Amino acid sequence: MIYSGTPLKTPHLPAETARPPGEALVRAHRWQGFSCASRAVRASAPRFPPALLIGGAFQRKESWGRCEEVLLRSMDVFTVDPPGWGAADMLPETYGGDFLADAVCHMLDEWGAGQVNVLAGSYGSAIAYEIARRHPDRVGRMVLVGTMTAIPDHAQAAMRRTLEHLAAGDMETYARVTVDLLMTPERLADIPNGARVRRLLLRRISNLSEAEAHQMRTNTLRLLTHQALDTSRPPRPPVLTVAGEYDSFTTPELCRQMAAACADSWHAEVRDADHMVILERTAEVADLARRFLAGEALHGLPYCRSVERVSPGGTG
């Protein structure tokens, strides 16, 4: 078993959010002069601490869909648009993950929320890592999907090429090279939802508004400016890293290296998926995250190629 004690029982969302279960309440915030926003949804019968969901480059606070539905069966859910995301203010690339981590904690403070569990994908995983490092008492358990401690040279070069097409206003080419970076073209036939997800992303990216295109440029530059995480002081909370087995961007080995940089960690590879595993195998990722956040065992899951203990951590 991953967790040997009784699951922590905490109150659900603060009294001011006492709306019918499943109904979302959205709140606007300001952090250090920048606007940001969060969204809270109550579970009908929460048994575990609230889950904080931090999305990747194309995930807004409203776009977690099936993942959110699965988690709401047993926990309240917060989703966020930090500065630079969604409808929040643009954030210059000089601001790094530490600033964004503090912004997210500020949003939780304004809800009156204490400790949360965290599920973060891709771009959002760097923010989650910083929250756990800088504010360890705020995080109970953490799942990082499609993550890495540093961007390798080949990926940095590919990301810079996407910015050239974006600067030229060639949105169709920008969409294609971006999707080719995030998905693995030669494995598309091996991913059950791969073709559908690719079409969805191509349509979404090629139709970005001017503001969204500027946001994508700035966020990509942020990744390139702050491309390595500080692994000198590992996060203390238990961490599960998750990779699609065909991920050629944040490869399974890069994800595993992130697990190795944490003090108490596991690593899982999901079958028939690449970097867009949250969209390709949504129900499976949601089930995997729910199990880990709830402290359940992860052995014998048919959708995982492997699950391994990486860093020994505590006594789980």
Side-chain angles (χ1 to χ4, degrees):
M1 290 289 289
I2 286 179
Y3 182 73
S4 58
T6 301
L8 177 64
K9 297 203 172 46
T10 62
H12 50 69
L13 299 181
E16 66 184 84
T17 70
R19 294 190 172 196
E23 183 176 336
L25 180 62
V26 175
R27 170 174 279 186
H29 310 266
R30 290 197 70 79
W31 175 247
Q32 301 292 314
F34 295 92
S35 72
C36 45
S38 61
R39 178 176 168 276
V41 186
R42 289 197 310 126
S44 58
R47 295 182 291 116
F48 303 104
L52 167 66
L53 312 187
I54 309 174
F58 303 105
Q59 281 179 284
R60 302 166 67 102
K61 64 184 181 299
E62 302 86 1
S63 65
W64 282 90
R66 179 64 173 155
C67 272
E68 181 178 288
E69 291 176 13
V70 171
L71 296 177
L72 279 170
R73 295 172 189 166
S74 55
M75 60 193 80
D76 300 326
V77 173
F78 290 104
T79 57
V80 292
D81 281 340
W85 250 260
D89 282 345
M90 297 289 180
L91 185 69
E93 63 270 18
T94 51
Y95 290 85
D98 53 350
F99 179 88
L100 291 165
D102 292 348
V104 171
C105 286
H106 170 71
M107 288 188 265
L108 294 175
D109 288 340
E110 293 206 329
W111 282 107
Q115 189 179 87
V116 295
N117 288 325
V118 182
L119 167 61
S122 191
Y123 191 125
S125 67
I127 301 175
Y129 179 89
E130 282 299 310
I131 292 173
R133 235 175 44 87
R134 295 168 65 81
H135 309 280
D137 293 340
R138 301 301 296 263
V139 178
R141 303 173 75 83
M142 184 165 66
V143 178
L144 304 179
V145 183
T147 187
M148 54 187 164
T149 59
I151 303 173
D153 290 345
H154 76 276
Q156 291 188 52
M159 291 166 70
R160 294 186 189 281
R161 285 195 295 274
T162 70
L163 291 177
E164 293 173 3
H165 298 296
L166 187 60
D170 185 353
M171 297 307 293
E172 288 192 7
T173 304
Y174 171 68
R176 179 176 54 76
V177 296
T178 298
V179 174
D180 284 349
L181 176 63
L182 298 177
M183 301 188 72
T184 308
E186 61 270 23
R187 287 293 191 174
L188 203 60
D190 300 318
I191 300 171
N193 290 317
R196 180 185 64 82
V197 170
R198 182 179 175 85
R199 288 194 301 271
L200 182 154
L201 288 176
L202 287 171
R203 183 168 62 250
R204 173 77 178 92
I205 298 170
S206 61
N207 289 291
L208 292 175
S209 68
E210 184 177 345
E212 289 173 323
H214 182 51
Q215 191 178 68
M216 287 303 305
R217 175 185 178 277
T218 303
N219 287 343
T220 302
L221 287 172
R222 189 183 338 281
L223 286 173
L224 292 169
T225 302
H226 310 275
Q227 61 86 28
L229 298 177
D230 182 356
T231 58
S232 64
R233 183 166 53 90
R236 294 200 309 265
V239 175
L240 170 68
T241 62
V242 180
E245 65 172 327
Y246 303 134
D247 191 339
S248 56
F249 181 47
T250 57
T251 64
E253 181 53 35
L254 289 173
C255 277
R256 191 184 183 284
Q257 288 174 15
M258 172 67 97
C262 298
D264 186 4
S265 63
W266 293 256
H267 172 68
E269 278 187 41
V270 176
R271 297 179 185 274
D272 304 325
D274 56 24
H275 185 69
M276 301 310 298
V277 58
I278 291 178
L279 292 178
E280 294 160 352
R281 307 215 64 184
T282 306
E284 291 84 356
V285 170
D287 180 67
L288 180 62
R290 183 203 62 76
R291 288 172 182 270
F292 184 77
L293 298 182
E296 297 179 6
L298 302 182
H299 55 75
L301 300 177
Y303 52 78
C304 284
R305 178 167 295 283
S306 63
V307 179
E308 63 173 309
R309 188 73 152 109
V310 178
S311 297
T315 60

